[in-house]
Amino acid sequence: MPTASSPAVAAPAAPSPAPPMASGLLLAALGAVAFSGKAIIVKLAYRHGVDAVTLIMYRMLFALPLFVAMAWWGGRGKPPLTRRDMLAVMGLGISGYYLASLLDFMGLQYISAGLERLILYLTPTLVMLLGWALRGARLSRRHWLAVLVSYSGALLVFGREMQLPGTADTALGTALVFGGTVSYALYLFFSGEYVQRLGALRLVGLATSFACLCCIAQFLLTRPLSAAQQVATPVLWLSLLNATACTVAPVLMVMMAMERIGASLTAQIGMIGPLSTIAMGVWLLGEPFTPWLAAGTVLVVAGIWLFSRAGRR
């Protein structure tokens, strides 16, 4: 029997393990860099004479088994989808992954990878503006300042590219990529209810699987089967890399990062995306790095940072 002078019978409880901050930061950074590598791979593939419909078909064909596995894993032990859920998943898949990807791939034929990435990083402001326009969300002056700063940066880079030789279709490419960005913003805006009901992993897996089928069906309806066989071998390898390292892997890495460090910090780490795209564009594509591009990138990143700090009402 212990006495007053004897040590305690039970050792003090071990301190709870520290949150895996380091792994979360690493996953968020790797996910952002992997996402940004998509534009580089697409631009490299275009050098082999492939068109956008064929290129996106191969990307989705290689990604489909992985997304189906993701949907199965996320749906284990959960009730089957209702008819309403199925229609919603189809609509979200078309908006968030089919149209968004197709328009983005088409736009990359005409503009630099750096400008494309800056346009994509306007997505949070578009989601915010949809909330203001469709649901009456109240926006503060900081929100409007974030919009002004970020769009000024994108317009600065766009204006500079319009002045470069051989860029007659820059306006078309910019419009296509911006249209894809709006389509993805609509997906984010309307997916909140279904993320809570179905789970993020299951929803992403189902929506992307349906988008993959849409891309494959589009190719079969608009191209002869021989067109798939006429693709250069490097395009196949680039598409496989795009499907795995720049599509499925970053989705999983970002979701794992959000579990460890939260959505807000994950989003802030994601701001390295435009920087990595520009760096890879200069290194792998030989795209020029100009003071205009640097200034525009700073403005876009600063605008998104202001947006993340503005909070929500």
Side-chain angles (χ1 to χ4, degrees), residues 150-170:
S150 56
Y151 280 74
S152 296
L155 288 172
L156 180 65
V157 179
F158 166 72
R160 177 57 181 170
E161 288 207 5
M162 287 287 291
Q163 299 175 1
L164 296 176
T167 54
D169 294 323
T170 297

Side-chain angles (χ1 to χ4, degrees), residues 24 144 184 230:
W144 290 112
Y184 189 69
Q230 296 170 359

Side-chain angles (χ1 to χ4, degrees), residues 103-261:
L103 293 173
D104 185 55
F105 273 50
M106 294 173 64
L108 275 168
Q109 297 174 102
Y110 309 113
I111 64 175
S112 68
L115 176 56
E116 181 258 6
R117 182 55 44 177
L118 293 183
I119 296 172
L120 294 184
Y121 263 73
L122 300 177
T123 300
T125 64
L126 290 171
V127 176
M128 177 192 70
L129 292 174
L130 285 171
W132 170 71
L134 300 180
R135 294 179 180 170
R138 296 178 60 189
L139 304 181
S140 66
R141 292 181 179 179
R142 290 185 178 182
H143 284 118
W144 290 112
L145 176 62
V147 171
L148 176 63
V149 172
S150 56
Y151 280 74
S152 296
L155 288 172
L156 180 65
V157 179
F158 166 72
R160 177 57 181 170
E161 288 207 5
M162 287 287 291
Q163 299 175 1
L164 296 176
T167 54
D169 294 323
T170 297
L172 173 60
T174 300
L176 288 169
V177 173
F178 186 74
T181 307
V182 172
S183 184
Y184 189 69
L186 287 168
Y187 161 79
L188 293 177
F189 182 74
F190 288 108
S191 64
E193 170 191 352
Y194 298 96
V195 169
Q196 296 178 1
R197 183 185 306 172
L198 304 178
L201 189 63
R202 189 183 188 190
L203 176 62
V204 170
L206 290 171
T208 49
S209 296
F210 183 73
C212 290
L213 295 177
C214 289
C215 293
I216 296 170
Q218 180 185 19
F219 174 83
L220 294 175
L221 292 173
T222 60
R223 302 288 190 276
L225 284 176
S226 58
Q229 301 173 350
Q230 296 170 359
V231 172
T233 301
V235 173
L236 300 179
W237 288 110
L238 288 169
S239 297
L240 179 60
L241 182 63
N242 197 352
T244 54
C246 300
T247 303
V248 177
V251 167
L252 295 175
M253 286 189 287
V254 169
M255 292 180 65
M256 293 169 65
M258 290 174 63
E259 291 178 349
R260 288 164 168 77
I261 62 177

Side-chain angles (χ1 to χ4, degrees), residues 1-145:
M1 181 176 233
T3 63
S5 59
S6 63
V9 175
S16 59
M21 178 66 70
S23 63
L25 294 174
L26 179 61
L27 285 167
L30 291 176
V33 173
F35 268 131
S36 62
K38 178 261 302 176
I40 307 300
I41 291 176
V42 171
K43 298 286 281 187
L44 289 172
Y46 280 146
R47 294 180 175 181
H48 297 277
V50 66
D51 63 273
V53 173
T54 304
L55 183 60
I56 197 171
M57 181 276 294
Y58 269 114
R59 176 209 190 193
M60 294 305 206
L61 180 65
F62 290 137
L64 179 58
L66 301 175
F67 283 131
V68 170
M70 186 185 301
W72 170 79
W73 185 268
R76 292 175 307 147
K78 295 182 180 179
L81 268 64
T82 64
R83 183 174 181 273
R84 179 171 177 265
D85 289 338
M86 291 180 62
L87 292 175
V89 166
M90 294 168 63
L92 292 172
I94 291 174
S95 174
Y97 297 100
Y98 168 63
L99 278 179
S101 297
L102 179 62
L103 293 173
D104 185 55
F105 273 50
M106 294 173 64
L108 275 168
Q109 297 174 102
Y110 309 113
I111 64 175
S112 68
L115 176 56
E116 181 258 6
R117 182 55 44 177
L118 293 183
I119 296 172
L120 294 184
Y121 263 73
L122 300 177
T123 300
T125 64
L126 290 171
V127 176
M128 177 192 70
L129 292 174
L130 285 171
W132 170 71
L134 300 180
R135 294 179 180 170
R138 296 178 60 189
L139 304 181
S140 66
R141 292 181 179 179
R142 290 185 178 182
H143 284 118
W144 290 112
L145 176 62

